[in-house]
Amino acid sequence: MKQSFNNIFYRNPIVTGIVAFTSSLLITQFMTFKEVALHLAYEEQMTIEQNNLIEKKIVNGLTSAISAARTLEFIEIRYGTGDDFEEIGKDIIQSNPNIDVIQLLEGGEIIKVYPLKGNEVVIGYDILQDPTRSDEAIRAKDNREIFFAGPFELRQGGTGIVGRLPIFKNDEFWGFSAVIIHLSTFQRIIGIEKDINDKYYFQLSKINPETGEKENFLPIENQSEFSGFKESRFIDWGDWTLSVQLRKSEAWSKVYLALVLRCLFSIGLGITAWYLAKIPAILQKKVAKQSRKLALSNERFKYATQATSDAVWDWDLKQDKVYRSKNFEKLFGYKRSEMNNNNSFWDQHIHEDDLKEVNNNLKNAFESNSDYWEQEFRFRKSNGQYAYVVDKGVIIRDENKQPVRVIGATQDITKIKNSESELISLSEELKKRAKELELSNEELEKFAYSVSHDLQEPLRMISSFLKLLEKKYGNTLDDKGKQYIGFASEGAERMRQIILDLLEYSMAGNVGNKEKVCIQEVMDDVKLLQRKIIQEKNAELTYEMLPEIIASKAPMRQLFLNIIDNALKYSKPDEQPKIKIEVVENPGFWQFKIADNGIGIDSQYFHQVFNIFQRLHTKDAYRGTGVGLAICKKIIEIHEGKIWVESKPGMGTSIFFTIKKFDENELQHPDQTNI
């Protein structure tokens, strides 16, 4: 078969060249198309990233506007704006540079606006009676969340976006807190740089709810001239569509040179194959000559690479002659003539404490059926210093299994030996540093407690003087004065609680030693600590036999305590709290589930609940500062696990978390250092 193939190859040089050209062309052009696909994928990814960046800017700008609207909503619900609206509006505008006007509507009628100058015409205007404006306002009212209408022509002139947040007092619709962002301000928020705009085309559009036609907010260009990838994203806060398109795809232009070169390569390969097939005799002669050289070289290389590549030697046992490579001169400083002509040279320079062992091991290797010998010893160099070396050799035997030749190599391992010594010293130094770090952690912990105490002391003094002020001058203060004192006292108390929570959060990373922890006992501790509120709410906690795991006990108690406390805190007022704990054992981790029948969480807030100081309710509705679940997340991450939430409003919440299974040999004993 092989001979037949060779005959075809040499008999038809033209066919051989065509086959070589065609095969090479197919392979190289396949590579070209793959490169084009990679460039197109990269352009697609960059377009998506640009879309994400602009969307993020819009969301950040609208978030600032939402914060302003919610601030006005909170003040109106809690205290009423009264005659202070101008001052309140001024503070809100100054704190939120992304909004231009703020309004307060009672029902649908605009009753207050800041700044008033230039906006007087809208006072008394009822948006719910205007069919061109009422639909999006009613949508915000029905959904009980802010909605951004526009851009459209404003009644007071200009074009802008209006965000309306419905206000409910005692669960009854009262009116709107509204913010206006002029179109010029909105374009500034987007902030598209010139070099980016030259590369990508950006457009923000919306379907007009009145006409049903698409309206574009940014300058319109002829998109038929664009050849790049296009990414569109829907922004539901205002029913807008954000589109980003690469103006020109460069995928093919980037591979054009490679395409031409590969075609030329295929042509060259075809010509070369034709030429090689045309002169087989010359090739066969050259191949035969090179094969002989390669065979001899491969034999020496084969045996040498089985030992080492540092300094090769060849010992002919029958003639008792040794060949040594030039590397011996570099390694030990002796001339090769000294080593190659002196058979006893090696024995004379091996350290006297190692010589006997080396000769015995070599003799045993010759007398056995072993084909390999290796020995480590000390060898004296020309400068009188001893080097640590390892000698490796392959023993070649005759048909009678007698050794006739040994081919090997010598490697200088002095640096390795010195490194081992340095590693031992480094290990001792690391132990010392670990101990110092442990002492430093203890000092930092004491410092945190000290700072917490020092920060709380001024707050306690403020609270005390505010109480004395209220007690002594309470009869002479008007309602506003008493209200301000109440605000200050409440702020001081909240600041004190935040300091305590920050201290607790910072200490969550101090997990201590890992030990065997019985979760059943942890839950007994939690029920004991929460017994008062459990009895008050008649709460029901159910769980089957909980496992014993390897973890840090105090953080585990804190983890379950925080989650159970949240389940009790956010329970429904008219329903018995029911909390169920389940656990599933997996090959590499434990998975826990703590489910309750409380008020639940909307899915849009899942990513916020584990962030520090992130609260979904006002402090008047539920106590706390938003640190508990952040501490839980920190504890879980330290135990190499994950934590997440599943919930629906009104149907309860389930907290899931995993804890890695640690081996018992990872347990730390009291005499071990915890870094």
Side-chain angles (χ1 to χ4, degrees), residues 378-394:
R378 287 164 290 178
F379 185 83
R380 189 175 71 251
K381 300 194 293 185
S382 62
N383 60 10
Q385 296 179 352
Y386 279 93
Y388 285 93
V389 300
V390 59
D391 230 351
K392 301 176 183 179
V394 176

Side-chain angles (χ1 to χ4, degrees), residues 11-39:
R11 189 179 302 164
N12 301 285
I14 295 177
V15 174
T16 300
I18 293 174
V19 170
F21 165 76
T22 304
S23 301
S24 175
L25 186 66
L26 290 174
I27 294 172
T28 55
Q29 296 318 306
F30 174 76
M31 294 169 59
T32 302
F33 282 110
K34 292 295 289 183
E35 287 184 20
V36 170
L38 288 174
H39 287 302

Side-chain angles (χ1 to χ4, degrees), residues 315-321 398-399 402-406:
W315 184 11
D316 188 337
L317 297 177
K318 289 187 175 181
Q319 298 183 19
D320 197 20
K321 291 184 178 181
D398 59 16
E399 62 275 6
Q402 295 299 313
V404 294
R405 187 178 178 190
V406 183

Side-chain angles (χ1 to χ4, degrees), residues 144-371:
R144 292 196 172 200
E145 62 182 13
I146 194 167
F147 184 82
F148 289 88
F152 52 71
E153 294 295 325
L154 300 173
R155 194 176 184 86
Q156 58 269 45
T159 304
I161 296 170
V162 180
R164 301 186 183 98
L165 176 66
I167 299 175
F168 290 84
K169 294 185 178 182
N170 297 324
D171 208 33
E172 292 291 330
F173 174 69
W174 181 85
F176 294 94
S177 167
V179 293
I180 297 178
I181 305 173
H182 291 154
L183 187 58
S184 58
T185 303
F186 189 73
Q187 291 176 341
R188 175 177 58 78
I189 292 172
I190 296 177
I192 302 174
E193 299 176 0
K194 184 179 184 306
D195 58 337
I196 299 298
N197 191 54
D198 291 341
K199 189 173 182 179
Y200 297 91
Y201 170 70
F202 300 87
Q203 188 55 260
L204 189 67
S205 60
K206 178 178 182 177
I207 302 299
N208 190 312
E210 299 174 33
T211 64
E213 296 180 355
K214 180 180 178 181
E215 295 181 352
N216 296 310
F217 308 155
L218 302 179
I220 301 175
E221 296 182 31
N222 185 7
Q223 299 184 43
S224 62
E225 299 176 357
F226 304 153
S227 60
F229 176 79
K230 181 178 181 180
E231 171 71 4
S232 297
R233 192 76 54 83
F234 183 75
I235 303 176
D236 58 3
W237 279 351
D239 286 352
W240 301 313
T241 299
L242 174 63
S243 300
V244 179
Q245 184 172 10
L246 182 65
R247 294 179 181 271
K248 181 180 179 181
S249 174
E250 298 178 347
W252 280 102
S253 61
K254 288 183 177 180
V255 301
Y256 177 78
L257 180 60
L259 175 67
V260 174
L261 291 176
R262 286 165 180 166
C263 288
L264 294 175
F265 170 79
S266 299
I267 294 172
L269 183 64
I271 294 174
T272 301
W274 166 78
Y275 178 77
L276 293 176
K278 189 176 181 181
I279 51 172
I282 297 175
L283 286 176
Q284 287 178 354
K285 183 177 179 180
K286 289 183 177 181
V287 167
K289 183 178 180 181
Q290 292 297 326
S291 295
R292 287 191 297 271
K293 291 182 178 180
L294 193 59
L296 181 62
S297 176
N298 283 342
E299 181 183 10
R300 182 167 291 175
F301 177 79
K302 173 184 176 182
Y303 293 123
T305 53
Q306 291 181 31
T308 183
S309 59
D310 286 350
V312 178
W313 48 268
D314 188 343
W315 184 11
D316 188 337
L317 297 177
K318 289 187 175 181
Q319 298 183 19
D320 197 20
K321 291 184 178 181
V322 181
Y323 163 81
R324 295 182 176 91
S325 67
K326 292 182 178 180
N327 279 345
F328 276 95
E329 296 182 8
K330 297 178 182 180
L331 288 175
F332 307 117
Y334 297 107
K335 296 294 184 180
R336 282 200 300 162
S337 57
E338 297 180 58
M339 297 181 288
N340 292 344
N341 297 328
N342 186 355
N343 294 336
S344 62
F345 175 85
W346 209 242
D347 291 349
Q348 293 172 357
H349 291 79
I350 296 178
H351 196 284
E352 59 182 7
D353 294 340
D354 301 333
L355 179 59
K356 184 177 180 181
E357 181 182 357
V358 171
N359 288 331
N360 287 339
N361 288 342
L362 184 60
K363 180 181 178 182
N364 293 335
F366 286 165
E367 293 177 351
S368 67
N369 292 325
S370 175
D371 294 330

